[in-house]
Amino acid sequence: MLLKNPCGMDRVMLFDVATKCYIATDTETVPTNIYEMCCDMLDLVADVSNIYTNPEAVYYYDSKSFSLVHLDNGTVILTKYICNNLILVCLLPESCLNDLG
C-alpha cells in the first residue's frame, strides 16, 4: 500500500526469479491471469538478457536491471531487480508513467 497508492499502481508484487513465486503483494489476491502475465514478463526479460549478456554470466539480473513493457490496453508492466534474486513487478496505467518521471 505504501508504494501502490501514492504512485497510482494497479498491482505491486515481489517475485523470486528462480521459482517465479510471488513472495509479497499488495493487499489484494492476485488473479491467475495477472500472475501468468508477470511470469511471462520475467521469462521475456531473461530471454532478452540471455542474448545480450556474457555467456559465462550466472544471473540475468543485476542492480541495473529494469524493464518496461507497454500493453495494448494502456497498462505498463515495470520490473526492477531489488536484491538476492528478487524482482519488483508493478502494473500501472500508462498515464501514471509520465507522473513518475
Side-chain angles (χ1 to χ4, degrees), residues 68-85:
L68 286 172
V69 171
H70 296 259
L71 304 178
D72 288 341
N73 66 358
T75 300
V76 174
I77 305 174
L78 178 147
T79 64
K80 175 67 177 130
Y81 177 82
I82 303 297
C83 65
N84 297 331
N85 233 16

Side-chain angles (χ1 to χ4, degrees), residues 23-95:
I23 57 175
T25 185
D26 49 45
T27 58
E28 301 171 19
T29 58
V30 178
T32 303
N33 63 332
I34 299 291
Y35 169 76
E36 290 173 349
M37 182 174 58
C38 292
C39 288
D40 290 343
M41 178 68 179
L42 296 177
D43 286 339
L44 173 70
V45 172
D47 290 346
V48 171
S49 296
N50 190 30
I51 294 169
Y52 295 104
T53 58
N54 183 345
E56 290 91 33
V58 177
Y59 299 107
Y60 300 121
Y61 304 98
D62 61 21
S63 61
K64 297 177 184 175
S65 295
F66 174 85
S67 63
L68 286 172
V69 171
H70 296 259
L71 304 178
D72 288 341
N73 66 358
T75 300
V76 174
I77 305 174
L78 178 147
T79 64
K80 175 67 177 130
Y81 177 82
I82 303 297
C83 65
N84 297 331
N85 233 16
L86 298 177
I87 290 193
L88 187 69
V89 178
C90 306
L91 280 74
L92 60 150
E94 199 166 17
S95 60

